[in-house]
Amino acid sequence: MNREELAWAGGFFCGEGSTTYSLQYGFYPRISVAQSFGTEELERFKAAVGVGNVTGPSKSPKGEMNVYQYHANGYEKTQAVVAMLWRWLSTTKREQATKVLLRARGE
């Protein structure tokens, strides 16, 4: 893994990404980053962390623009991405990820 690309990915994630969870198939954590102007940065992020998928375009909730999304689903992938980016994440993003991962473990 390229340290400079991980540093870039950490900054990109702090500005554009989130650690959340989905209840669609039971509680599981996920990392996601959305963009409306194409997939270049999302593909770069995926290459930096080595896991996940880039999808889209799909219409935004109000239907006014196309949205592309990077996502990594499940505890292991979410934890892996968070661990790779940890040193470059803001306090807010660290707290968000910690809460989601602890909840996924039942804590």
Side-chain angles (χ1 to χ4, degrees):
M1 292 189 186
N2 182 303
R3 180 180 169 90
E4 288 78 18
E5 284 298 293
L6 287 174
W8 172 86
F12 180 64
F13 184 77
C14 282
E16 303 291 333
S18 62
T19 307
T20 60
Y21 58 89
S22 172
L23 298 175
Q24 184 176 5
Y25 302 107
F27 183 92
Y28 68 88
R30 71 182 303 185
I31 293 278
S32 62
V33 183
Q35 295 284 284
S36 59
F37 298 107
T39 62
E40 181 179 348
E41 290 83 5
L42 300 175
E43 292 291 353
R44 183 177 174 187
F45 184 86
K46 178 184 170 187
V49 299
V51 299
N53 297 296
V54 174
T55 60
S58 60
K59 288 293 182 190
S60 64
K62 294 183 180 179
E64 75 276 5
M65 68 177 74
N66 289 327
V67 175
Y68 302 85
Q69 188 175 48
Y70 163 87
H71 52 88
N73 296 319
Y75 186 86
E76 292 80 14
K77 289 179 183 176
T78 301
Q79 184 182 40
V81 173
V82 169
M84 283 184 266
L85 302 181
W86 187 260
R87 71 180 323 156
W88 298 287
L89 296 181
S90 66
T91 301
T92 301
K93 293 297 180 180
R94 287 179 177 189
E95 289 173 356
Q96 181 185 68
T98 299
K99 286 178 184 177
V100 169
L101 291 168
L102 288 173
R103 169 98 191 268
R105 286 185 8 195
E107 296 180 31

